[in-house]
Amino acid sequence: MSELNITPLIDVMLVLLIMFIMVIPIATHSLLIPLPNAPGRFEILEVNTVHIDESDRVFWNGLELDRQELLNQLASAAKNTDQPLVRFEPDARASYDKSARTLALIKDSGVRRFAFIGNERYRNFYAE
């Protein structure tokens, strides 16, 4: 009665498994965080308003800007020793995603004086 010796087979399989683990590259995870790359191009007032309109455009004190420009503007405001107040006023029809991303950008910029404006307008919810 002859039996098959599987010990060498197991050894070879373990060596192959270890080789595959060593050869597979480690998955790299990148977290894209925008960094300010220039000073803000608009005036920084004592009280500044970040507004999002119904078509998801972002405004700084009534002047339209993109995400990177907003970050530059916020970083410039955060650098001041006496930080100005940044008020956030999204339109009722602005997308939640754009509002949440803008809030995260404001938080990450280092602004410490922040206020929500106009929430009392949405006190009563009416389904349309």
Side-chain angles (χ1 to χ4, degrees):
M1 179 173 194
S2 84
E3 293 189 22
L4 184 62
N5 185 4
I6 60 167
T7 303
L9 176 67
I10 292 173
D11 289 343
V12 169
M13 295 297 279
L14 286 174
V15 168
L16 287 174
L17 178 65
I18 291 172
M19 286 177 58
F20 283 132
I21 289 173
M22 299 291 272
V23 171
I24 296 174
I26 297 173
T28 57
H29 177 70
S30 65
L31 181 60
L32 300 176
I33 299 174
L35 298 174
N37 58 11
R41 64 182 175 119
F42 299 125
E43 184 180 4
I44 298 173
L45 306 174
E46 179 96 13
V47 176
N48 301 285
T49 303
V50 175
H51 175 71
I52 302 175
D53 69 357
E54 59 189 25
S55 58
D56 289 342
R57 294 180 304 170
V58 179
F59 296 88
W60 174 271
N61 294 332
L63 303 168
E64 185 176 1
L65 38 70
D66 64 11
R67 181 178 168 84
Q68 185 62 49
E69 289 174 333
L70 176 62
L71 179 62
N72 293 341
Q73 201 68 34
L74 290 167
S76 295
K79 286 180 187 175
N80 292 348
T81 54
D82 186 25
Q83 279 197 8
L85 177 65
V86 175
R87 302 176 350 158
F88 182 63
E89 186 177 4
D91 189 84
R93 290 182 175 79
S95 73
Y96 178 80
D97 181 55
K98 184 70 169 187
S99 298
R101 287 178 187 267
T102 304
L103 283 173
L105 191 66
I106 292 170
K107 178 184 173 284
D108 293 340
S109 70
V111 171
R112 291 188 311 267
R113 295 188 63 212
F114 177 77
F116 287 99
I117 303 299
N119 291 341
E120 67 278 355
R121 291 178 288 184
Y122 313 119
R123 186 176 303 138
N124 297 324
F125 178 74
Y126 299 104
E128 293 181 11

